[in-house]
């Protein structure tokens, strides 16, 4: 079976955050949105069928997590990522992965305490530190010829006496890196030496480009790890969220369960559960074809920029449907680039400030859309910057 990822689906007027919130975020309504990380592709048929089947029962009350629910996650991690995880290590947070990580931060740290995070990074990870009255220790990723790597030596020098946690995302959002075993083992050794808990946001882990392999941090970090996964990026189901936290430490699991009970977060979304099981059980063929399409989108963007807008460089993505664009050669700052993107290019992109690099001339572009729409956005960028 083949899926039509070239199909353009009109999402305007559906209360889509991506398509219907442009004016609120960018001051202009008629923009092509390449900012927030959801895709413009239909979810797999198996997921749609599972939701439809569940609608045949007219009651949507509180539910429990079935053995099939747990088994589907365990099997997915084993078969997709070569990681054997006991089901008792699974904890859940139905609102979102960020709420789940907020719970871990709240349990294990106090207001005013320092938490380290490699930057740039997914903005909400910074938010659960800074907006939660914790102090952020920025650990810059090392960049060489457009490739970003973990700088564990730098991290070691920045840790403070009260630092007990590192939060990062793997595969990396926004740069698209798939971190190597050596990088992850280096981080695990530091965590062991300094008694750190490493919280790894791995919601993009299923979207790894051909030729690369994601290594779950928890398969290396052991009891000093919390690994967060979700089917929502994988199968484009962000509107019916589900998140699983893999927590090897029994004491932390007990404390985390208290947090869930206190916040009444101990029941999953009825449709999120059905969608997750269907995706993990029957979505592999769709996912493999999606990854090939996304890899083609990454090539298309790189070749377009090289041919038409060479002052804008694209970081080579090893995972995700996100492109990290380097505008440094334009000589403009983030605000000036954003103005051109909105007013001249007619596109909405997230700037570097969203990822902890205030004012830097980098932007993240979401490539999870039909290629025709992607080309339309790139032509806008060409119009705005080709003469720079």
């Amino acid at each position: 079976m083949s899926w039509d990822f070239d199909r353009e689906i009109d999402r305007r007027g559906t209360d889509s955050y991506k398509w219907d919130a442009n004016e609120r975020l960018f001051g202009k309504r008629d923009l092509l949105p390449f900012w927030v990380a959801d895709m413009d592709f239909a979810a797999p048929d198996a997921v749609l069928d599972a939701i439809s089947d569940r609608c045949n029962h007219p009651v949507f009350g509180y539910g429990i997590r079935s053995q099939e629910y747990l088994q589907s996650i365990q099997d997915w991690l084993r078969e997709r990522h070569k990681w054997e995880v006991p089901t008792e290590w699974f904890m859940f947070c139905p609102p979102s992965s960020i709420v789940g990580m907020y719970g871990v931060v709240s349990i294990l740290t106090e207001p005013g305490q320092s938490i380290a995070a490699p930057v740039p990074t997914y903005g909400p990870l910074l938010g659960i530190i800074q907006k939660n009255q914790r102090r952020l220790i920025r650990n810059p990723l090392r960049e060489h010829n457009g490739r970003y790597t973990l700088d564990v030596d730098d991290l070691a020098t920045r840790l403070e006496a009260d630092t007990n946690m590192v939060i990062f995302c793997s595969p990396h959002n926004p740069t698209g890196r798939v971190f190597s075993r050596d990088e992850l083992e280096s981080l695990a050794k530091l965590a062991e030496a300094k008694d750190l808990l490493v919280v790894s946001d791995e919601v993009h882990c299923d979207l790894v480009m051909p030729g690369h392999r994601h290594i779950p941090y928890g398969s290396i970090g052991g009891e000093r790890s919390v690994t967060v996964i979700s089917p929502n990026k994988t199968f484009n189901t962000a509107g019916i969220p589900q998140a699983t936290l893999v927590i090897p430490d029994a004491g932390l699991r007990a404390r985390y369960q208290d947090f869930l009970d206190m916040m009444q977060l101990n029941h999953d979304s009825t449709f999120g559960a059905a969608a997750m099981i269907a995706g993990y059980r029957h979505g592999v063929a769709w996912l493999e074809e999606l990854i090939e399409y996304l890899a083609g989108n990454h090539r298309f963007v790189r070749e377009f920029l090289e041919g038409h807008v060479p002052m804008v460089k694209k970081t080579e993505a090893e995972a995700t449907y996100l492109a990290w664009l380097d505008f440094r050669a334009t000589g403009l700052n983030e605000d000036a680039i954003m103005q051109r993107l909105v007013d001249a290019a007619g596109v909405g992109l997230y700037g570097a400030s969203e990822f902890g690099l205030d004012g830097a001339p980098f932007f993240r572009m979401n490539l999870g859309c039909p290629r025709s729409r992607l080309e339309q956005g790139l032509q806008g960028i060409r119009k705005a910057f080709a003469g720079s």
Side-chain angles (χ1 to χ4, degrees), residues 3 41-55 231-232 234-238 240 270-284 286-287:
W3 289 269
F41 305 128
D45 291 343
V47 169
L48 300 176
D49 290 345
I51 294 170
S52 178
D53 289 346
R54 182 59 184 84
C55 286
N232 297 145
T234 309
F235 302 113
N236 203 32
T237 53
I240 45 174
T270 297
F271 297 115
M276 183 201 73
I277 294 170
Y280 283 168
R281 289 304 195 203
H282 308 294
V284 171
W286 179 92
L287 176 59

Side-chain angles (χ1 to χ4, degrees), residues 171-179 209 315-320 322 324:
H172 190 254
N173 174 6
T175 71
R177 265 302 312 285
V178 174
F179 295 119
M209 296 301 103
T315 297
E316 192 65 29
E318 299 169 349
T320 81
L322 307 169
W324 188 236

